[in-house]
């Protein structure tokens, strides 16, 4: 599987998210500053609420911009057995029910599912619980992840 194509799919999705978030921030800002939303009394909070929303949307825009920058800088190297799983790795895990899943381990800000060649690839951050467990591991290693009251066990089938 072509990891550079997967990286491009992530960037395309992030750029679409950025456009949507920027539009939402603009609309919230316009609402907050519109003359009809000037408070007439202390209970008239529409303008204030819109200002809070605009601030949150602006932060979201900045977070997506940072994620795009990190994904653009991501160097997709071939898997090296001696160094183990690192950022940019494409990993196939199998659980105790023989269910396989594909993961693309990347920087923060792009948790998503990609569909490529009929396969679903879950993009996860290296700081996500499963991402942390996988760092440094290699093919054939078993990993366990405790979520709430249950523990999930996986074996690493292959890595690219």
């Amino acid at each position: 599987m072509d990891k550079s194509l997967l990286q491009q799919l992530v960037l395309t999705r992030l750029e679409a998210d950025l456009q949507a978030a920027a539009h939402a921030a603009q609309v919230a800002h316009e609402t907050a500053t519109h003359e009809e939303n000037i408070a007439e009394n202390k209970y008239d909070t529409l303008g204030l609420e819109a200002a809070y929303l605009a601030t949150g949307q602006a932060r979201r825009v900045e977070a997506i911009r940072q994620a795009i920058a990190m994904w653009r800088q991501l160097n997709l190297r071939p898997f090296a057995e001696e160094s183990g799983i690192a950022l940019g790795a494409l990993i196939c895990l199998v659980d105790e029910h023989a269910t396989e899943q594909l993961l693309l381990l990347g920087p923060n800000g792009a948790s998503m599912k990609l569909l490529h060649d009929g396969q679903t690839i879950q993009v996860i951050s290296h700081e996500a619980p499963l991402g942390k467990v996988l760092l440094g591991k290699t093919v054939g290693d078993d990993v366990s992840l405790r979520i709430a009251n249950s523990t999930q066990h996986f074996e690493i089938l292959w890595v690219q």
Side-chain angles (χ1 to χ4, degrees), residues 2-3 19 24 41 64 76 85 98 110 113 125 127 145 149:
D2 185 358
K3 292 193 301 184
Q19 286 181 349
N41 59 52
I64 296 171
L76 298 173
I85 292 173
K113 287 186 180 182
S125 164
E127 292 191 4
L145 180 65
N149 294 328

Side-chain angles (χ1 to χ4, degrees), residues 91-95 98-101 138-141 154-159:
I91 307 153
C92 181
L93 299 179
V94 63
D95 65 15
T99 304
E100 293 183 15
Q101 63 179 320
T138 190
V139 175
D141 285 351
F154 303 97
E155 179 184 349
I156 301 170
L157 287 184
W158 55 261
V159 182

Side-chain angles (χ1 to χ4, degrees), residues 20-41:
H23 177 72
Q26 179 184 359
V27 169
H29 176 73
E30 289 169 359
T31 301
T33 58
H34 194 277
E35 64 186 38
E36 290 182 7
N37 292 329
I38 296 172
E40 295 177 7
N41 59 52

